[in-house]
Amino acid sequence: MAQKIQILVDGRTVEAAPGAPLLELLQSRGCEIPTLCHHPDLAPAGSCRLCVVEIEARGKRRLVASCTAKVRDGMSVSTASEPVLAHRRRIAAMHLGRWPRVPVIQEIARRCGVVDASAYRGTMTDENPRACVLCTRCVRACEEFVQQRILDFAGRGARRHMTMAYGDVDPHCIGCTSCAYVCPTGAIQVVDDLNHPHDPVMIRDHGMKVNAEMARLDPQQCRMRQVGTANIIDVMDQYDLLPCHNFKFGSHPDAKKIYSAVFRDQYLTQGEDDGCWKGCSMACAKAAEDFELKTGPYAGRKVLVDGPEYENAGACANMGCFDPWFALEWNFYCDTYGVDTISFGTCMAFVMEAFEAGVITEAQTGGKKLRFGAMLETLECLHEMARGEGFGVDVGQGIRWLKEKWVREYGADPAFLQDIGMEVKGLEVSEYVAKESVAQQAGYSMAVKGPQHDEAWLIFMDMVNNQIPSFEDKAEALYYFPLWRTWFGLMGLCKLLWNDVVPVDNKTYPPQQAAKVPDHVRNYFKFFEGMTGIPLDDEKMLAQSARVHNLQRIMSYRCGRGTREHDLPPYRMMGPVTAEEYESRAERYDKQLREILGVDPAGKPVEEKIRLLRAHREAQYVRVLETAYERRGWTRNGVPRISRLKELGIDLPEITAIVRDAQD
Ligand code: SF4
Ligand code: SF4
Ligand code: FES
């Protein structure tokens, strides 16, 4: 806890954290401080000067705006000295003279003891009870919440007024209503709700809560607004979770070359429109302007590149391509060609390992030396894929197809390829190392559509935040979170506003509850209710989602992919496949052999240690898998039980007919 200091407030000794906002401290102590430009969800502006207090420090006394002042050692604050009260009275009277019928101004004047403002009445007096009082809150909300500059002030002195550019309706305004939310007078009114929601105020109020949290907390927690999801690269590398060289390792000495600060400082343009949704207060999508391409059909052209997002940069590490230039060039061309960066990156990493292991040679790759870090060759594969020629076409078929071809045509070892080919259900694994998290292994592998990036949050709960330590916790997480993800995916809502930035008091919940970020789950429920008029809670949400999730599983089963063997990951996801991998983390693995399995690793060949560890980890995985099946109401083979379909009200004859023969 930060060390407290002592200051004097109206002659009394008060303890406070150095640097704390002075206004908050004074208000928490019940001091009478009028404010106008201040809003708790906005950064302080210090423009109206109504909140002045007198501060004495080092023998000097001065009036300062308490909303912008910070607690400092040795300060003595007077909140009601005669100079303070006189100053406030004068400003309040000026405001009342100019806007005599605005309720918030009347209230401030009353609190400041102003009874007569006639001296300040004149040609500038505005009798509108909803007049704009030039408090600046709306301008700041537009900038801070949605990173726009739609509103500003024009004119000087008496002519000063709030406006959009050139006094006209700015087409860039997204109608987010942030400005109306903070306006103290009602000068800004929302006149249309194009989507006709059931309760627009409920939606706005909860949306503003999110906006305020993003503006206030993101700079300390994630810096998404600054660097986008690329901030995760640094965290993953530090936690040994960044996939490097086809998921062999979780960190790499060169990873620093693609840390978020590199993109922020050298490439990203700040303050540009978000590439996802313009009104988003998280605004995680970033862009690099005037990036000159070196390869492909647009070589030599300067372009705008979206990103990189974490998964793009993570895939670069997976391919051993630790160069920000490559990350952007590759990202641009994947976007331009419509190629999924995760699938291509993970598949290419597999190709590189296979090349280094001698499974394929230059004879198969069209002369390209596809070792880890081969940036130009990787880009050439991508261009080939787009042109529909050469080895790039094979890469475009994905890992599952490549494994089959290489076994069939080149006599490759199927067991080795199965172990290192990072795909489940035919989909390439997204960019997180899950070796030490059985929950994440199951989260990826049990996902109906395969191990895509939407399923990657368990890694944070398990490995970064340690919120689901026991098997039961993990099984419960594997019940709740896929259903929760399915739910907000079905609603078309973004995940990032759920658990990237979390409320300050989220840690007061027990760990398993904290992992759910209950306050943010409620925001989503309120949004749903505001749109539809239907109140929602955890139970109803889970039931809604479970219906869809079970139907998805049944469809998957009908397509031949919805049983236990399709929920098993390649061993590379669970543990070290090669001696090189084991040796790179030997201390950790040896310790686990000693402490979990009671085996003394000393003197044992690395192959034997790998075998022992593998048997243990595979058994652990099966245990979690079976517990999760049970919790979901599925058979031991992973098929939804008809009793569960009944419970959910989806036991329609044509549905039950599909799974009837697969019951326990
Ligand atoms: S509605 Fe949103 S974008 Fe438009 S001016 Fe207000 S805060 Fe800015
Ligand atoms: S419109 Fe409202 S929020 Fe904006 S400056 Fe005027 S009073 Fe303040
Ligand atoms: S509230 Fe502090 S200057 Fe306006």
Side-chain angles (χ1 to χ4, degrees):
M1 194 189 286
Q3 207 187 354
K4 295 274 174 94
I5 55 172
Q6 291 188 335
I7 64 170
L8 286 176
V9 174
D10 296 330
R12 289 170 190 259
T13 303
V14 172
E15 286 205 332
L22 183 59
L23 176 64
E24 270 178 38
L25 174 77
L26 299 176
Q27 286 177 331
S28 72
R29 298 190 52 79
C31 299
E32 167 65 25
I33 314 279
T35 60
L36 181 60
C37 66
H38 178 73
H39 187 282
D41 294 336
L42 294 171
S47 60
C48 73
R49 308 289 295 176
L50 274 160
C51 67
V52 287
V53 293
E54 192 172 12
I55 290 184
E56 185 177 348
R58 294 187 206 94
K60 289 194 178 149
R61 303 174 76 84
R62 61 203 169 94
L63 293 180
V64 300
S66 60
C67 64
T68 50
K70 304 279 185 222
V71 169
R72 300 262 178 268
D73 204 7
M75 96 189 328
S76 169
V77 185
S78 302
T79 67
S81 64
E82 193 39 46
V84 166
L85 296 180
H87 182 92
R88 284 187 201 152
R89 265 198 306 275
R90 193 163 52 251
I91 294 186
M94 288 165 70
H95 278 71
L96 188 64
R98 184 160 178 190
W99 298 292
R101 299 187 58 216
V102 174
V104 71
I105 299 298
Q106 292 171 337
E107 174 60 14
I108 287 171
R110 188 193 62 73
R111 287 170 65 191
C112 293
V114 176
V115 282
D116 179 14
S118 54
Y120 295 100
R121 289 185 75 108
T123 51
M124 285 165 58
T125 298
D126 184 344
E127 298 289 346
N128 180 359
R130 285 186 167 167
C132 168
V133 297
L134 306 176
C135 71
T136 75
R137 288 189 195 181
C138 55
V139 177
R140 286 144 59 208
C142 188
E143 194 168 356
E144 289 179 31
F145 289 173
V146 287
Q147 303 186 50
Q148 300 289 326
R149 283 298 300 254
I150 306 294
L151 302 171
D152 210 337
F153 291 98
R156 285 167 181 266
R159 293 178 191 276
R160 187 170 162 80
H161 61 285
M162 189 277 294
T163 181
M164 288 185 177
Y166 308 111
D168 207 348
V169 174
D170 188 332
H172 297 99
C173 168
I174 53 170
C176 69
T177 77
S178 301
C179 48
Y181 171 73
V182 297
C183 178
T185 71
I188 300 176
Q189 296 268 302
V190 180
V191 292
D192 200 1
D193 285 300
L194 293 177
N195 290 327
H196 307 298
H198 173 79
D199 185 345
V201 174
M202 180 182 280
I203 293 176
R204 190 191 71 180
D205 286 354
H206 283 83
M208 290 306 140
K209 206 175 132 207
V210 173
N211 283 345
E213 271 184 5
M214 292 307 145
R216 252 197 342 256
L217 303 178
D218 177 64
Q220 299 127 47
Q221 294 186 11
C222 289
R223 299 179 298 120
M224 292 264 189
R225 284 157 64 106
Q226 215 183 40
V227 294
T229 57
N231 80 85
I232 305 173
I233 304 163
D234 319 11
V235 180
M236 292 297 106
D237 187 46
Q238 283 146 23
Y239 278 84
D240 206 29
L241 300 171
L242 179 73
C244 300
H245 293 196
N246 194 29
F247 296 89
K248 281 193 227 176
F249 319 114
S251 60
H252 195 283
D254 286 339
K256 289 186 176 56
K257 293 177 186 167
I258 52 168
Y259 269 15
S260 54
V262 176
F263 292 105
R264 182 197 61 205
D265 297 344
Q266 295 176 25
Y267 292 99
L268 299 183
T269 311
Q270 295 300 326
E272 285 297 298
D273 289 345
D274 178 53
C276 183
W277 178 58
K278 202 174 167 187
C280 177
S281 50
M282 172 74 95
C284 67
K286 300 292 165 198
E289 275 187 306
D290 287 337
F291 178 79
E292 189 167 338
L293 296 164
K294 292 186 182 163
T295 70
Y298 303 114
R301 285 214 206 163
K302 288 190 172 176
V303 296
L304 182 105
V305 188
D306 190 17
E309 292 182 45
Y310 164 70
E311 298 272 4
N312 310 141
C316 292
N318 220 355
M319 296 182 281
C321 300
F322 298 100
D323 187 317
W325 158 76
F326 172 83
L328 290 168
E329 177 111 358
W330 171 71
N331 198 13
F332 172 83
Y333 275 116
C334 281
D335 283 353
T336 302
Y337 295 149
V339 172
D340 168 39
T341 48
I342 299 173
S343 298
F344 180 76
T346 297
C347 187
M348 208 59 214
F350 167 69
V351 167
M352 288 167 162
E353 183 168 358
F355 185 91
E356 291 200 348
V359 176
I360 53 168
T361 66
E362 286 168 65
Q364 284 89 39
T365 65
K368 288 182 280 301
K369 290 186 175 58
L370 289 172
R371 299 185 175 286
F372 287 114
M375 293 184 266
L376 289 174
E377 293 81 351
T378 297
L379 285 163
E380 184 47 28
C381 270
L382 182 60
H383 298 314
E384 283 180 355
M385 190 192 294
R387 294 195 300 264
E389 62 187 39
F391 182 65
V393 174
D394 277 17
V395 176
Q397 306 299 317
I399 292 175
R400 184 167 280 200
W401 187 91
L402 289 172
K403 285 190 297 190
E404 286 165 8
K405 173 172 176 170
W406 295 349
V407 170
R408 190 176 61 243
E409 296 184 14
Y410 312 149
D413 174 4
F416 177 62
L417 293 189
Q418 175 55 30
D419 280 351
I420 68 161
M422 292 293 277
E423 59 88 13
V424 184
K425 301 183 179 80
L427 183 70
E428 281 68 24
V429 177
S430 92
E431 310 301 337
Y432 294 89
V433 170
K435 285 188 177 107
E436 302 306 316
S437 169
V438 68
Q440 182 57 57
Q441 294 158 24
Y444 268 151
S445 307
M446 294 176 72
V448 179
K449 61 183 169 294
Q452 61 108 353
H453 76 135
D454 243 15
E455 304 293 341
W457 56 61
L458 287 164
I459 198 96
F460 283 88
M461 293 171 198
D462 209 11
M463 301 304 300
V464 179
N465 299 330
N466 196 24
Q467 290 166 319
I468 45 175
S470 73
F471 265 93
E472 289 67 31
D473 297 334
K474 293 181 205 306
E476 185 58 29
L478 286 164
Y479 174 71
Y480 179 89
F481 291 107
L483 290 182
W484 167 231
R485 182 209 51 76
T486 299
W487 185 85
F488 64 66
L490 288 169
M491 300 299 147
L493 299 172
C494 175
K495 175 245 168 191
L496 291 191
L497 303 176
W498 165 47
N499 74 344
D500 283 270
V501 171
V502 299
V504 176
D505 57 2
N506 193 52
K507 55 181 176 294
T508 57
Y509 289 103
Q512 295 79 5
Q513 280 294 103
K516 294 178 182 172
V517 197
D519 292 1
H520 284 185
V521 171
R522 265 194 296 281
N523 282 344
Y524 284 76
F525 291 172
K526 287 295 173 192
F527 179 76
F528 179 88
E529 184 179 343
M531 284 305 295
T532 64
I534 302 167
L536 205 63
D537 56 22
D538 257 348
E539 202 182 319
K540 287 188 191 132
M541 177 277 289
L542 289 172
Q544 279 185 358
S545 186
R547 286 186 199 108
V548 176
H549 192 236
N550 280 274
L551 281 174
Q552 288 174 339
R553 181 70 172 187
I554 290 168
M555 291 306 122
S556 185
Y557 174 74
R558 192 161 179 250
C559 296
R561 292 191 179 174
T563 47
R564 185 183 180 112
E565 74 266 30
H566 301 287
D567 291 340
L568 301 178
Y571 185 63
R572 172 67 54 76
M573 194 194 286
M574 294 191 231
V577 172
T578 62
E580 178 198 22
E581 265 171 287
Y582 190 102
E583 298 292 8
S584 75
R585 306 299 187 264
E587 199 181 326
R588 176 194 303 162
Y589 297 139
D590 282 355
K591 185 166 181 259
Q592 290 174 0
L593 287 180
R594 252 190 323 271
E595 294 181 359
I596 302 172
L597 300 180
V599 171
D600 181 4
K604 288 206 166 23
V606 68
E607 289 72 21
E608 190 184 344
K609 294 196 286 187
I610 289 174
R611 189 181 53 72
L612 289 166
L613 196 65
R614 180 170 185 154
H616 165 67
R617 290 186 174 207
E618 287 180 337
Q620 259 200 329
Y621 179 83
V622 167
R623 193 176 149 200
V624 165
L625 182 85
E626 289 180 347
T627 316
Y629 280 169
E630 195 54 42
R631 179 69 180 88
R632 290 179 182 188
W634 293 0
T635 68
R636 280 174 59 80
N637 199 27
V639 179
R641 290 199 174 101
I642 290 176
S643 55
R644 176 65 174 147
L645 303 182
K646 271 201 177 90
E647 245 172 56
L648 293 169
I650 53 171
D651 54 329
L652 309 173
E654 56 271 47
I655 302 292
T656 52
I658 299 171
V659 294
R660 187 165 305 285
D661 293 342
Q663 300 297 295
D664 283 330

